[in-house]
């Protein structure tokens, strides 16, 4: 009995995974750093919480807008490239077939076979073949602005809510230590999970986000302590 061979790849996760990890990481780091910086300035517990909530709302909207604009720019570029490629196919399909065959030859296919492959691919889906093999545009990696914006905003909100929950629950005397410690733990878990989902080693992923998060909180706390005022 022939066994069906299946493979699992993770490239289809790149779009939403990048946006989600970036949003959650930024939510934890920016909100925790903001809270620590304000706390270092010796302000009231209510002011710290208000500042953190404002940072959550502003950060989530900023992430959504930034992701949408940047990814939409990529989508516009892809659309323009595809339109240009379609025009070239309509104007001179023979030249485009030779171009596709040359790409396959450069990848190691024998010239005669490359010509046959190019002919078959263009009969099946000429624009799709050129989009994939000439332009590097695929369905798995294509830009999805709304998906990226929603993933970034939602993940930022979730990430920012974690240090804010610590602010609500932690006594004022232990607030800074509690926010820093738990935020670093959250970042380590986020880095490990993201790396695992992406197929990489969890330890390196955890180390990367934890290091930069600790640096951000340390610098912000230093600013708050130096100026002794609300940041």
């Amino acid at each position: 009995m022939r066994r069906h061979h299946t493979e699992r790849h993770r490239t289809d996760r790149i779009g939403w995974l990048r946006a989600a990890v970036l949003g959650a990481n930024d939510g934890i780091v920016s909100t925790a750093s903001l809270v620590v910086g304000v706390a270092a300035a010796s302000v009231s517990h209510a002011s710290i919480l208000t500042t953190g909530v404002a940072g959550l709302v502003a950060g989530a909207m900023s992430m959504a807008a930034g992701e949408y604009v940047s990814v939409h720019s990529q989508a516009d570029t892809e659309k323009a490239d595809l339109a240009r490629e379609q025009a070239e196919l309509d104007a001179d399909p023979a030249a485009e077939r030779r171009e596709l065959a040359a790409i396959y030859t450069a990848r190691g296919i024998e010239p005669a076979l490359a010509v046959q492959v190019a002919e078959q691919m263009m009969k099946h889906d000429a624009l799709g073949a050129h989009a994939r093999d000439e332009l590097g545009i695929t369905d798995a990696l294509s830009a999805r602005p709304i998906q990226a914006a929603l993933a970034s905003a939602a993940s930022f909100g979730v990430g920012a809510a974690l240090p804010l929950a610590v602010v609500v629950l932690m006594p004022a005397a232990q607030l800074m230590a509690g926010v820093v410690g738990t935020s670093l733990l959250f970042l380590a878990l986020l880095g490990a999970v993201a790396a695992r989902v992406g197929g990489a080693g969890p330890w390196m992923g955890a180390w990367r986000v934890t290091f930069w998060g600790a640096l951000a909180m340390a610098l912000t706390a230093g600013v708050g302590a130096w100026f002794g005022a609300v940041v």
Side-chain angles (χ1 to χ4, degrees), residues 44-208:
S44 67
H45 189 276
S47 296
I48 295 172
L49 182 59
T50 301
T51 302
V53 172
L56 185 156
V57 175
M61 294 305 298
S62 177
M63 287 293 294
E67 279 291 323
Y68 183 81
V69 171
S70 63
V71 178
H72 207 293
S73 296
Q74 178 186 342
D76 290 341
T77 301
E78 291 177 356
K79 184 178 180 180
D81 283 344
L82 290 174
R84 186 180 302 111
E85 193 63 34
Q86 183 63 66
E88 293 174 355
L89 285 167
D90 294 338
D92 194 351
E96 291 300 304
R97 188 180 302 110
R98 291 193 297 270
E99 183 180 26
L100 195 61
I103 292 173
Y104 296 146
T105 301
R107 292 178 181 176
I109 299 178
E110 292 292 332
L113 180 58
V115 171
Q116 296 179 26
V117 172
E119 290 177 352
Q120 291 295 317
M121 294 298 290
M122 290 188 64
K123 285 181 181 179
H124 174 70
D125 182 5
L127 182 60
H130 281 271
R132 180 179 58 255
D133 296 320
E134 180 183 351
L135 303 177
I137 300 174
T138 64
D139 290 337
L141 302 179
S142 62
R144 295 179 175 86
I146 295 179
Q147 181 191 64
L150 293 177
S152 294
S155 58
F156 183 98
V158 172
L162 296 175
L164 283 181
V166 177
V167 173
V168 173
L169 300 173
M170 191 72 66
Q174 303 170 0
L175 192 146
M176 283 190 64
V179 169
V180 171
T182 54
S183 295
L184 291 178
L185 177 61
F186 294 149
L187 287 170
L189 291 174
L190 172 66
V193 170
R196 182 66 177 172
V197 172
W203 293 110
M204 183 56 67
W207 161 250
R208 282 195 299 261

